[in-house]
Amino acid sequence: MRAASISRKTAETDVAVSIALDGTGKASIDTGVGFLDHMLELLARHALFDLDVKVEGDLHVDQHHTTEDAGIALGQAFAKALGDKRGIARYADLHLPMDETLSRVAIDISGRPFLVFRTQFRVEKIGQFDTELVREWFQAFAMNAGITLHVETLYGENAHHIAESCFKGLARALRAAVAVDPREEGRVPSTKGSL
């Protein structure tokens, strides 16, 4: 089983993440940020990753450090669980509908971190959650996972639906990209021989 755990402690947060890529979608999430917990639970479910995330953060300041550091640690755990990436599909893309919203997510597990995030929110908050933190989480995850990630919401109105379509789209793309392709016969999917 491809799995890893990461602990990351700073003056702002104390984060523990465990991930199993070949799981069933079980999740135990406790970040102290309700909306982020919801997004990570659906990420696990739709990626079919088993995921444990525990964060103690400086929520008396705001939710920024908790959200960003959860993305950093999860990205690091994801990269560690993948190992040398032998046999994986590597690429995936899809369109994810969520009611009136449609988002497109494309991914390359390349070892070259990059994020293109073309999603806008018409409101500043979803409940108590700052909508600008959605991009912060994606940035932290992509940079630390070592993936090229493009996320674009083609249209949508409801901020919750927009965020959820991005997270579910990422989940489904990750699920496809980490899938083992038997035709690769354990090779690294690159002409360079490494990713």
Side-chain angles (χ1 to χ4, degrees):
M1 182 174 262
R2 298 173 294 173
S5 295
I6 292 287
S7 294
R8 183 176 189 276
K9 187 170 186 174
T10 70
E12 298 165 341
T13 62
D14 187 355
V15 184
V17 172
S18 294
I19 189 171
L21 303 181
D22 304 303
T24 61
K26 294 184 301 183
S28 175
I29 313 294
D30 182 9
T31 67
V33 179
F35 186 75
L36 180 60
D37 290 355
H38 178 44
M39 294 299 104
L40 296 181
E41 286 166 359
L42 63 84
L43 175 72
R45 175 63 185 90
H46 289 278
L48 291 180
F49 296 164
D50 290 344
L51 186 59
D52 291 318
V53 178
K54 172 71 175 161
V55 184
E56 293 180 10
D58 57 356
L59 295 177
H60 63 284
V61 175
D62 65 11
Q63 299 175 349
H64 188 283
H65 299 141
T66 294
T67 302
E68 183 178 31
D69 289 4
I72 290 170
L74 183 54
Q76 291 172 348
F78 175 82
K80 186 176 176 183
L82 269 179
D84 63 8
K85 305 174 187 75
R86 289 186 182 276
I88 65 168
R90 178 179 169 179
Y91 294 97
D93 67 280
L94 62 96
H95 289 82
L96 196 294
M98 178 73 190
D99 295 348
E100 85 297 344
T101 298
L102 183 67
S103 292
R104 174 173 50 212
V105 178
I107 188 171
D108 176 11
I109 301 177
S110 61
R112 294 185 310 277
F114 200 89
L115 175 67
V116 174
F117 193 80
R118 293 183 178 167
T119 294
Q120 295 182 346
F121 296 93
R122 296 180 182 194
V123 297
E124 293 182 4
K125 296 221 180 245
I126 302 170
Q128 299 302 309
F129 187 80
D130 293 331
T131 52
E132 69 181 7
L133 295 180
V134 174
R135 187 192 190 287
E136 291 300 320
W137 185 91
F138 274 83
Q139 176 78 16
F141 177 78
M143 294 302 107
N144 287 276
I147 62 174
T148 298
L149 177 60
H150 292 246
V151 179
E152 182 175 19
T153 299
L154 303 178
Y155 46 82
E157 299 290 329
N158 182 282
H160 189 128
H161 295 166
I162 291 169
E164 190 161 332
S165 70
C166 293
F167 276 89
K168 283 182 176 175
L170 174 63
R172 288 289 175 152
L174 288 172
R175 177 175 167 176
V178 303
V180 175
D181 183 344
R183 294 179 301 158
E184 283 288 359
E185 298 178 347
R187 296 175 298 179
V188 174
S190 170
T191 55
K192 293 183 287 191
S194 67
L195 288 172

